[in-house]
Amino acid sequence: MKQFNDENFLLQTPTAERLYHEYAEKMPIIDYHCHLIPEYVASNHRFENLSKIWLEGDHYKWRAMRTNGVDERFCTGKDTTDWEKFEKWAETVPYTMRNPLYHWTHLELKTAFGVDKLLNPSTAKEIYDHCTEMLQKPEYYARGLMQHYNVETVCTTDDPVDSLEHHIKVKNDGFAVKMLPTWRPDKAMAVENPAEFRAYMDKLAEVSGVEIKHFADVIAALKKRHDFFEEVGCRLSDHGIEEFYAEDYTPAEIESIFDKVYGGKELTAEEIAKFKTAMMVEFAIMDHDSGWTQQFHYGAIRNNNSRMMKQLGPDTGFDSIGDFTVAKKMSKFLDMLASKDKLGKTIIYNLNPRDNELVATMLGNFQDGRYGAGKIQFGSGWWFLDQKDGMEKQMNALSCLGLLSRFVGMLTDSRSFLSYPRHEYFRRTLCNLIGNDVENGLLPASEIDFIGKEIVSKVCYGNAKEYFKF
């Protein structure tokens, strides 16, 4: 019987063990999409206790706790202590078996703090006190943890109006880990609420120094911010969308729609779709001309629970997988850019696993050797899919319908400085998948060195290094 969470965790064959330990384990981490708080890196934040670094803002854990019957006050409440929240999490952990949270929890405890014990009510206080004590040491401050996990580069997620002062400070400090911004301009195309859109335009005008009266002014202001982001080291954009937008439009239509919403009037569904299409095209052209990579995370239905949305706000654990029909619009949007020769490097992440083969086949329509290998990428298993089963399904679809060997690999998509073992989790899953194929005669054992060097190590690190050129 294999042991839980030992050195060969998730590795089911000798070949998988060899691939992981010889080719994957020691690779540096390029975490090209995350939600770390840049201020924490800039200030080298010290976490007061294990709850502060582990539970605050973690909607994955909150969803599990609620499902386990834990009252909301122990998830997001202000009248409970950090220890009380942790105690409820420890009560929940044994019931998360077969949920990826069980694996992540024990990987993080082991790799960060050297804790091999299972977390449950009887071990909770010992583990909490031990980890909290370690967190007071400088090597467990924010920067120390990044270096502990051999992180080379992280890309945060930032609004065009952000000052990026924390990124600039980290660079000026000469910190060994690169922290680069990522351009996330979702609010600039959020015309569903005219008042909020106008308020955002006012902020954009202020930080860009461009007076905004017409649609062309919006693009000019955003271009100035885009240039500023590039100066600070940005090489990626990211867009969180329910579905792709690909409506036909004319410049006159977009100017008229902008005038209407900027004046405070509600738009029709058709007008909203046309405006979002125009904005996505403009963003994509900026990215192409700057040599950036654009990312599209699509398919989430957000804020489903209106009562809890009013109480807690967004990103608190009330989102789910959507079932949008996207193939035609995705194809048309990409072609709108390709027809102008303005389609740059692109990564597409789906949230519904039924779209795996759809995305994997869409990539091949727009690959272009002028950009090097794998210009259009199938993003790693995202959000609800960033677990063993989801990652295997994504890699199997990519393997069958594209080139797994050119995949840029894993990211944390996390706000936590303890989430880097997700890269280890992915690497172990990758090595197990390929190792099983070798053991079963589906891949030649004679090519194990090529597989290790040219596929495993590059999917874990080398492809991202070459693709993003940070």
Side-chain angles (χ1 to χ4, degrees):
M1 181 181 295
K2 283 185 171 289
Q3 296 299 306
F4 173 72
N5 203 25
D6 65 3
E7 70 275 9
N8 291 319
F9 179 52
L10 299 180
L11 306 173
Q12 298 171 334
T13 64
T15 303
E17 294 172 9
R18 179 182 173 187
L19 288 173
Y20 177 71
H21 293 299
E22 292 186 18
Y23 299 99
E25 185 176 15
K26 302 301 183 183
M27 288 288 109
I29 287 175
I30 294 179
D31 199 33
Y32 58 88
H33 176 70
C34 74
H35 296 274
L36 290 182
I37 299 172
E39 183 181 0
Y40 281 10
V41 182
S43 65
N44 197 18
H45 185 78
R46 178 180 65 84
F47 296 91
E48 185 179 340
N49 55 54
L50 186 53
S51 289
K52 292 293 188 185
I53 194 172
W54 224 23
L55 296 180
E56 285 193 358
D58 193 334
H59 53 79
Y60 288 82
K61 292 186 178 75
W62 294 343
R63 284 171 70 97
M65 291 166 73
R66 292 169 186 142
T67 303
N68 199 46
V70 174
D71 189 89
E72 188 63 35
R73 59 194 292 263
F74 295 103
C75 298
T76 60
K78 305 299 183 185
D79 64 338
T80 47
T81 66
D82 292 335
W83 160 248
E84 288 173 324
K85 290 181 171 69
F86 184 83
E87 190 174 28
K88 292 297 183 183
W89 168 238
E91 291 175 6
T92 299
V93 168
Y95 297 95
T96 65
M97 288 190 182
R98 301 205 82 239
N99 184 295
L101 283 167
Y102 194 80
H103 287 168
W104 293 346
T105 293
H106 293 100
L107 271 175
E108 290 169 20
L109 287 173
K110 179 180 179 181
T111 59
F113 304 106
V115 173
D116 287 316
K117 293 184 177 180
L118 299 180
L119 178 58
N120 55 49
S122 67
T123 61
K125 191 67 169 68
E126 176 188 355
I127 289 174
Y128 184 83
D129 289 345
H130 169 76
C131 296
T132 295
E133 181 181 353
M134 295 187 76
L135 286 168
Q136 308 319 303
K137 300 176 181 179
E139 58 266 36
Y140 285 86
Y141 296 177
R143 293 191 185 187
L145 284 167
M146 296 170 82
Q147 291 179 298
H148 171 78
Y149 281 113
N150 195 20
V151 178
E152 182 176 292
T153 305
V154 296
C155 297
T156 58
T157 305
D158 311 279
D159 191 280
V161 303
D162 287 350
S163 68
L164 304 185
E165 60 188 284
H166 304 302
H167 298 81
I168 294 170
K169 182 181 186 305
V170 169
K171 181 179 180 181
N172 290 341
D173 286 349
F175 182 42
V177 179
K178 287 184 181 179
M179 182 176 76
L180 306 177
T182 295
W183 170 266
R184 179 74 175 253
D186 294 353
K187 291 181 180 178
M189 53 187 264
V191 288
E192 299 88 344
N193 186 312
E196 291 182 4
F197 179 74
R198 176 62 186 261
Y200 184 79
M201 289 293 107
D202 291 343
K203 288 182 184 177
L204 178 61
E206 180 181 355
V207 299
S208 67
V210 174
E211 184 180 8
I212 294 178
K213 291 184 177 180
H214 306 287
F215 180 70
D217 301 328
V218 177
I219 303 306
L222 287 166
K223 183 64 171 65
K224 285 193 70 173
R225 299 304 295 171
H226 199 274
D227 291 344
F228 169 64
F229 268 57
E230 183 165 22
E231 290 172 8
V232 181
C234 183
R235 295 295 178 268
L236 295 98
S237 69
D238 183 54
H239 306 266
I241 52 178
E242 282 193 347
E243 54 187 323
F244 281 82
Y245 300 95
E247 302 299 320
D248 294 320
Y249 63 88
T250 65
E253 284 180 304
I254 300 306
E255 187 67 49
S256 176
I257 292 168
F258 172 76
D259 290 344
K260 182 177 177 180
V261 69
Y262 194 65
K265 296 180 181 179
E266 297 281 344
L267 301 180
T268 66
E270 181 182 8
E271 289 172 330
I272 291 171
K274 287 190 175 188
F275 190 85
K276 287 181 181 292
T277 302
M279 291 301 291
M280 284 180 59
V281 167
E282 293 289 345
F283 290 140
I285 291 173
M286 288 184 204
D287 292 349
H288 171 273
D289 291 349
S290 296
W292 291 10
T293 297
Q294 57 182 352
Q295 301 174 94
F296 297 99
H297 287 83
Y298 83 89
I301 298 182
R302 300 178 184 270
N303 308 317
N304 294 273
N305 189 325
S306 59
R307 181 179 66 85
M308 296 308 291
M309 172 62 180
K310 291 177 183 176
Q311 181 178 325
L312 301 175
D315 303 320
T316 50
F318 300 96
D319 308 319
S320 58
I321 294 172
D323 60 350
F324 306 97
T325 302
V326 297
K328 287 187 176 180
K329 288 185 177 180
M330 184 191 300
S331 173
K332 184 176 178 181
F333 171 71
L334 296 174
D335 191 57
M336 290 169 80
L337 298 169
S339 64
K340 300 180 176 72
D341 202 16
K342 292 291 186 179
L343 177 59
K345 292 181 178 179
T346 303
I347 307 177
I348 299 173
Y349 307 82
N350 58 292
L351 195 56
N352 193 322
R354 77 174 190 187
D355 291 349
N356 283 347
E357 285 76 14
L358 184 160
V359 174
T361 55
M362 189 66 69
L363 310 183
N365 301 326
F366 298 98
Q367 299 291 11
D368 187 336
R370 293 178 298 165
Y371 292 77
K375 172 189 173 183
I376 315 295
Q377 289 277 331
F378 184 4
S380 61
W382 167 47
W383 199 344
F384 296 108
L385 306 182
D386 62 353
Q387 27 73 12
K388 184 175 183 293
D389 180 66
M391 290 189 288
E392 287 176 344
K393 287 177 178 175
Q394 184 268 349
M395 286 190 281
N396 279 328
L398 178 56
S399 298
C400 292
L401 303 168
L403 295 179
L404 176 67
S405 55
R406 298 306 189 181
F407 178 32
V408 292
M410 189 55 175
L411 46 93
T412 63
D413 192 29
S414 175
R415 293 166 176 79
S416 174
F417 288 85
L418 292 181
S419 289
Y420 294 113
R422 293 188 190 181
H423 284 265
E424 176 180 336
Y425 197 63
F426 167 83
R427 292 172 180 185
R428 289 177 179 272
T429 300
L430 168 70
C431 292
N432 187 63
L433 199 67
I434 296 175
N436 284 344
D437 280 355
V438 174
E439 296 267 348
N440 289 319
L442 299 175
L443 293 174
S446 62
E447 296 300 300
I448 194 68
D449 193 51
F450 175 87
I451 292 170
K453 291 179 179 178
E454 293 298 319
I455 299 180
V456 169
S457 67
K458 288 190 174 180
V459 171
C460 294
Y461 169 74
N463 287 344
K465 180 86 169 176
E466 173 62 24
Y467 187 80
F468 299 113
K469 300 184 186 302
F470 293 130

